[in-house]
Amino acid sequence: MMFASDNASGAHPAVMAALARANDGPAMPYGNDPATARVEALIREIFEAPRARVLLMSTGTGANALALAGLCPPWGAIYCHDIAHIEVDECNAPEFYTGGAKLSHVDGAQAMIDADALSDRLAGSGRGVVHNAQPGALSITQATERGAIYTPGDVANLAAIARRHGLPVQMDGTRFANAVAATGASPTALSHGAGVDILCLGATKCGTLAAEAVIVFEPEARPDLVWQLELRRKRAGHLYSKMRFVAAQMEAWLDGGLWLDLATHANSMAARLRAGLARAGIEVVSPPGANLTFARLPSGLHRALQDAGAAYYADPVPGDCVEARFVTSWATSEAEVDALLAACIANAA
Amino acid sequence: MMFASDNASGAHPAVMAALARANDGPAMPYGNDPATARVEALIREIFEAPRARVLLMSTGTGANALALAGLCPPWGAIYCHDIAHIEVDECNAPEFYTGGAKLSHVDGAQAMIDADALSDRLAGSGRGVVHNAQPGALSITQATERGAIYTPGDVANLAAIARRHGLPVQMDGTRFANAVAATGASPTALSHGAGVDILCLGATKCGTLAAEAVIVFEPEARPDLVWQLELRRKRAGHLYSKMRFVAAQMEAWLDGGLWLDLATHANSMAARLRAGLARAGIEVVSPPGANLTFARLPSGLHRALQDAGAAYYADPVPGDCVEARFVTSWATSEAEVDALLAACIANAA
Amino acid sequence: MMFASDNASGAHPAVMAALARANDGPAMPYGNDPATARVEALIREIFEAPRARVLLMSTGTGANALALAGLCPPWGAIYCHDIAHIEVDECNAPEFYTGGAKLSHVDGAQAMIDADALSDRLAGSGRGVVHNAQPGALSITQATERGAIYTPGDVANLAAIARRHGLPVQMDGTRFANAVAATGASPTALSHGAGVDILCLGATKCGTLAAEAVIVFEPEARPDLVWQLELRRKRAGHLYSKMRFVAAQMEAWLDGGLWLDLATHANSMAARLRAGLARAGIEVVSPPGANLTFARLPSGLHRALQDAGAAYYADPVPGDCVEARFVTSWATSEAEVDALLAACIANAA
Amino acid sequence: MMFASDNASGAHPAVMAALARANDGPAMPYGNDPATARVEALIREIFEAPRARVLLMSTGTGANALALAGLCPPWGAIYCHDIAHIEVDECNAPEFYTGGAKLSHVDGAQAMIDADALSDRLAGSGRGVVHNAQPGALSITQATERGAIYTPGDVANLAAIARRHGLPVQMDGTRFANAVAATGASPTALSHGAGVDILCLGATKCGTLAAEAVIVFEPEARPDLVWQLELRRKRAGHLYSKMRFVAAQMEAWLDGGLWLDLATHANSMAARLRAGLARAGIEVVSPPGANLTFARLPSGLHRALQDAGAAYYADPVPGDCVEARFVTSWATSEAEVDALLAACIANAA
């Protein structure tokens, strides 16, 4: 009963098989190999973005920090939600990569940036005032840390606000696959079609070993950006000599829509869990759709679930309860979900 | 005929098999898995260093920059050879990770730091003078970029000079395995036994996909160092969520002495090449031992070899010649070496 | 009618006279002069801190950023009020000097950090969790950006909370003189007596040309801190070659209690203004004590005051009003205050 | 007998008088004052550069590091002489301000960059190769740390080489005044007329308290550069609130050619010293022209001079000698020079 993180799951067999195939003979290092080229072509096709440039990375933190450093100067501010991963869980990686930019919080329910709050914040920014951090970039997490999903309209709305203030838009797409699967919107519609300049497309949590793609949709809009990102990636030690192995993972994951199949499965396991928890009288406090489920558990039940071997994170909340986070993944089985639900029912007061 | 880089080779089958085994079921992320613990234990045993702490990384540039940042403050100087990888080939990664330290060059033949030159340099350093960069760390590359190998005595000598000036010692061990194999010295004797504080042990070039180990031999000598390195690694986006896959590579590579077998093979292929070149009347200009061979080729021969499909790097040198660098690896075959030599002979004037 | 900033005033004649005296003959550079030594001795005496070390700077932004960089690592968080000068008005200087630390906001009325909010924030900090920014330092602004003044008890309370969480305490004392003058508390009681580790004592706004003192009260509590600050100061280009001229300003300002006389005057001009505004029926929205006065003015009155030549900053607020900030200084005259008040009365509806 | 540094001298009376005048009444802060505007106009006139923009600073280290950060990216290399002040005496300030750029040494006699050496170095730079630091900027020190002076032709030659490789040119003009006075060339001819993009014009060593000007000659050639420099200056804590006091110094120093009169005096005192040393049989090892004189003294004479109260820096050199550096300034008197010479003669063997 592993619900601690989608990081806890391994890699899909198709990804492992691709890795084995990639290990056949020598290949030129540092991305000068055919697999890396094929991944760029594949991403251009999937995202209907014929000029897109792709930089492969192997961690989400690295991908986010790299992309933000490409968009926001050291004296800039990156607008993000208070509990965005880049703010809370990356140990100042964005500050490190940007050379000292500031993360500026914009609130909103379920970890979604509120459009009015963003407008207000940007209206009060000190663009052109030398004493103030200069507006640098907007960062949107899709799906959010609470499992909420921005629709194409939501993204377009936020991006338009950013654009009005001259801000580029980065999307932390660690769970972008889950968002595409949940909304049925096209990858395009949820990214550059809605105004996203750089998407960090996460595959690590979604079925690979370690693979992320930083996608710059319109390189010619920012001359030198891609070359700067390449230099920044090297300088950060993220230019892999045997890049073909990262590329092979990404290619296998994207190939034939596997990425969406896996995300659909993870989402459906969350839906099954959510429905079961509701039947068991347990309050679910996060929105449906993606593969994250937050629920309010009495402390007694929480202890019983842990004793039963369920793995998940929980924070104490008032009323002798915890707020538990259950994460499902491509590897979560129906049996695993049902076992958790059975344990809930068995231990209900 | 791939002699461009040991990076061009793939991973050894035992490493691929370990990767497949590691993909069995869930595992706690971020290094809280059994394989990561086993790697630390294995390294402690191999290096006879029971208190050593190990941080896994996946690029040599990342490993070097991380280690140096742990040892040298932003206002410090890192002493290294003029053509050290950290100086020439890491796009200012050490400067980035340290927050602006300076690399200070010490010359010497075959990319080996000359002990007298180091002494002189340190004697003239401005320790305690606020205007000058403060001596920060010594970085030794083993084997060097020219294929030279420091003996245990060489390392001990340099480390003793460093110690007299209060400097910690980092070793860039991208090809440490080749050095151990070539000298027959123990891993201990070539590292902490000779005064090395942190070894960056490279496995990527030597038979894995992407795996490096930053080994801190005496953590208690520098309180907080390991914790700082962990924070720095995370902040740089190098804390892998599915760390088990990095650990599995490293474990398989070290297990049963595979690492030394592979390095021995790579070295012996270089020896075969060197001997053959000499027989063909081609001047070899680098020392024997490791898996790098630099040779002086007439330009005509160089073009012929390239036409014949030989891959290697070459720089023009006076006398209508090039200096060619041939790198052998665990995957280089005798047939491949012999084919190159045959092409040399066939195309000799 | 200059109420835009205490920065708009010049230097006190005694400071100018000291500067002229300091220009007599040669002096060793970089602080190795007698005046710099005398300033340290004087500050030790005034603050009853016999071991204190003093670094002179010439801007408040530089002083704050330097002090914070000495206390908070790049992966750390600096706890400060949402509208602290270090957050709003220093263009990411703290982020720059620290190498990428994060400023973490704690709310509270009148720009004062609320003790409960600080406790809550620190209770939820991720100390020891590698993914989270590590608690780094507490920064208190005295007087606050709204003119509020922390009593010795207030400071001690916040510092005790910080201490319980292992955090050092920095005080942005740009208007520390105003706080001492307003409370009647001793300099000691408002700083290290209440738990402040480093005070940035501001003289620039308070009667000098450009002089600030970074005071480390207990250098032996943090070995190497002072030396690191000296290196950081040099590296930032803030080690003045002709330091005697900075020292002379600071010495003259502190000598014979001039600093408190000037601050008392500035505060009393604010009190005169506040009383007059109240008599004129204008709502004052900031607390009494220091030399900052925030008042709510109808837009019509605001325009009339500007037309009359009054200089001050104002932000629009609901109800067709502005919130005006009037700053008095050592150089503000009663006549100037009375002229402003007369203009208010003349232009009231 | 103060020959330790031109930093040891005070400020010229005209500068002090200007400072006193500047203290009359309030002025808008942060450079929004008339004096700052007048300085820019004056520099445009003197340098025949009608579009030039000027940023005032107060230390040479700050000015150099700021200018270089405007020209060279974090992944860049700054080409400078091995013993340039920016390399040796600024405690990694350029690395700090640039965010981790590398200083790359080019040798040459008397601390002058050798043109052929520069060409060779740039020919071998790795522009476009992601592993290598990218060529960032050329930095020329005028006069050099050995007192050598580049002619307009020398500067133009180096700048043309830089230009061919796409490099901008910064000039560390800490003693630019001495170079203009010594050569009789126009300020234009020695700076932008010869291809310098940014000049850091030093006034601190040459007669002010603390004033430097960063001059961008052709702002439109690099859109955003000046605004970025302004943000960088603020972020570094070098935007002085009471800027009028820095401006007043610079204005008085430039006004009516005072700067060149003072430099001419300093240079002539060096010439007097040089001639006297030669008469006394003491070997002068640095070239004539500027206000620095390096001479080889027997150790016995060195000790005697020190006992006699002469202040200067000296390094031991072979042959039981020291190499002494004597620096003259605007404040050095003939009597002071003659006293040193008399002491030399009195103590000669």
Side-chain angles (χ1 to χ4, degrees), chain C residues 2 4-13 16 19-20 23 25-30 58-59 61-62 85 89-93 96-97 204-210 231 234-242 244-245 313 330, chain D residues 2 4-13 16 19-20 23 25-30 58-59 61-62 85 89-93 96-97 204-210 231 234-242 244-245 313 330:
Chain C
M2 169 55 75
S5 174
D6 24 16
N7 281 330
S9 61
H12 188 269
M16 297 305 290
L19 215 52
N23 193 34
M28 287 306 287
Y30 300 116
S58 66
T59 67
T61 293
H85 195 270
D89 286 311
E90 301 191 351
C91 193
N92 295 3
F96 177 44
Y97 275 67
T204 305
K205 284 186 160 83
C206 306
T208 67
L209 298 85
L231 289 160
K234 169 69 194 185
R235 188 169 82 114
H238 279 285
L239 177 60
Y240 298 92
S241 52
K242 301 185 180 177
R244 56 171 148 166
F245 293 115
Y313 288 100
W330 71 271
Chain D
M2 169 55 76
S5 174
D6 24 16
N7 281 330
S9 62
H12 187 268
M16 297 305 290
L19 217 51
N23 192 34
M28 287 305 286
Y30 301 116
S58 66
T59 68
T61 294
H85 196 270
D89 285 310
E90 301 191 348
C91 194
N92 295 4
F96 177 44
Y97 274 67
T204 305
K205 284 187 160 83
C206 306
T208 66
L209 299 84
L231 290 159
K234 170 67 194 187
R235 187 170 83 113
H238 279 284
L239 177 61
Y240 299 91
S241 53
K242 300 184 179 177
R244 56 170 148 165
F245 292 116
Y313 287 101
W330 71 271

Side-chain angles (χ1 to χ4, degrees), chain D residues 51-73:
Chain D
R51 291 175 298 277
R53 293 291 312 278
V54 175
L55 288 95
L56 295 176
M57 296 283 289
S58 66
T59 68
T61 294
N64 281 330
L66 181 73
L68 292 168
L71 298 178
C72 180

Side-chain angles (χ1 to χ4, degrees), chain C residues 264-309:
Chain C
T264 299
H265 175 80
N267 291 351
S268 74
M269 289 302 99
R272 186 182 188 92
L273 176 61
R274 162 181 290 270
L277 290 171
R279 280 195 308 272
I282 292 168
E283 184 188 4
V284 174
V285 296
S286 64
N291 63 322
L292 303 179
T293 307
F294 289 78
R296 185 181 169 87
L297 306 181
S299 293
L301 174 56
H302 170 52
R303 282 189 298 273
L305 290 178
Q306 292 193 305
D307 291 345

Side-chain angles (χ1 to χ4, degrees), chain B:
Chain B
M1 293 189 288
M2 169 54 77
F3 298 93
S5 174
D6 24 15
N7 281 332
S9 61
H12 187 269
V15 171
M16 297 305 290
L19 217 51
R21 283 196 306 276
N23 193 34
D24 185 23
M28 287 306 286
Y30 300 116
N32 299 311
D33 62 278
T36 300
R38 286 197 308 269
V39 165
E40 188 167 83
L42 193 51
I43 285 176
R44 288 174 169 180
E45 187 188 321
I46 291 171
F47 282 87
E48 306 167 282
R51 291 175 298 278
R53 293 292 310 279
V54 175
L55 288 95
L56 295 176
M57 297 283 289
S58 66
T59 67
T61 293
N64 281 330
L66 180 73
L68 291 169
L71 297 178
C72 180
W75 44 83
I78 296 163
Y79 299 87
C80 66
H81 194 276
D82 307 37
I83 63 163
H85 196 270
I86 60 169
E87 167 62 14
V88 176
D89 286 310
E90 301 191 349
C91 194
N92 295 2
E95 289 88 343
F96 177 43
Y97 275 67
T98 56
K102 183 187 291 295
L103 272 61
S104 188
H105 304 172
V106 187
D107 209 350
Q110 299 295 1
M112 296 179 77
I113 293 174
D114 181 77
D116 290 341
L118 178 64
S119 283
D120 288 354
R121 175 62 55 90
L122 287 172
S125 83
R127 185 181 290 284
V129 179
V130 79
H131 308 288
N132 303 147
Q134 299 297 296
L138 172 65
S139 178
I140 302 173
T141 310
Q142 174 76 305
T144 77
E145 284 71 19
R146 296 285 294 185
I149 296 173
Y150 294 94
T151 65
D154 291 337
V155 176
N157 190 18
L158 293 177
I161 295 168
R163 201 74 56 198
R164 277 200 293 279
H165 290 86
L167 283 193
V169 180
Q170 180 259 2
M171 179 169 276
D172 172 355
T174 301
R175 297 188 180 94
F176 184 80
N178 301 88
V180 173
T183 58
S186 73
T188 304
L190 277 171
S191 60
H192 66 112
V196 172
D197 295 285
I198 302 189
L199 170 66
C200 297
L201 176 64
T204 306
K205 285 186 160 81
C206 306
T208 67
L209 299 84
E212 309 278 320
V214 175
I215 309 172
V216 181
F217 291 108
E218 294 288 352
E220 62 271 40
R222 288 185 168 71
D224 296 333
L225 172 60
V226 171
W227 175 231
Q228 283 193 19
L229 290 175
E230 290 181 0
L231 290 160
R232 287 182 186 277
R233 180 175 61 172
K234 170 68 194 185
R235 188 169 81 112
H238 280 284
L239 177 61
Y240 300 91
S241 53
K242 300 185 178 177
M243 187 68 87
R244 56 170 149 166
F245 292 115
V246 184
Q249 296 176 58
M250 184 58 79
E251 188 181 21
W253 182 70
L254 290 171
D255 188 48
L258 177 63
W259 66 303
L260 295 180
D261 295 344
L262 297 182
T264 298
H265 175 80
N267 292 351
S268 74
M269 290 302 99
R272 186 182 189 91
L273 176 61
R274 161 182 290 269
L277 289 171
R279 278 196 307 273
I282 293 169
E283 185 188 2
V284 175
V285 296
S286 64
N291 63 323
L292 303 179
T293 307
F294 289 77
R296 185 181 169 87
L297 306 182
S299 294
L301 174 56
H302 171 52
R303 283 189 298 271
L305 291 179
Q306 292 192 305
D307 291 346
Y312 56 89
Y313 288 100
D315 285 320
V317 289
D320 194 24
C321 285
V322 302
E323 188 178 271
R325 189 189 74 158
F326 300 103
V327 190
T328 55
S329 83
W330 71 271
T332 305
S333 67
E334 292 191 357
E336 212 167 359
V337 172
D338 293 348
L340 180 69
L341 291 172
C344 286
I345 290 165
N347 291 286

Side-chain angles (χ1 to χ4, degrees), chain C residues 242-255:
Chain C
K242 301 185 180 177
M243 187 69 88
R244 56 171 148 166
F245 293 115
V246 183
Q249 295 176 58
M250 184 58 79
E251 188 181 19
W253 182 69
L254 290 171
D255 187 49

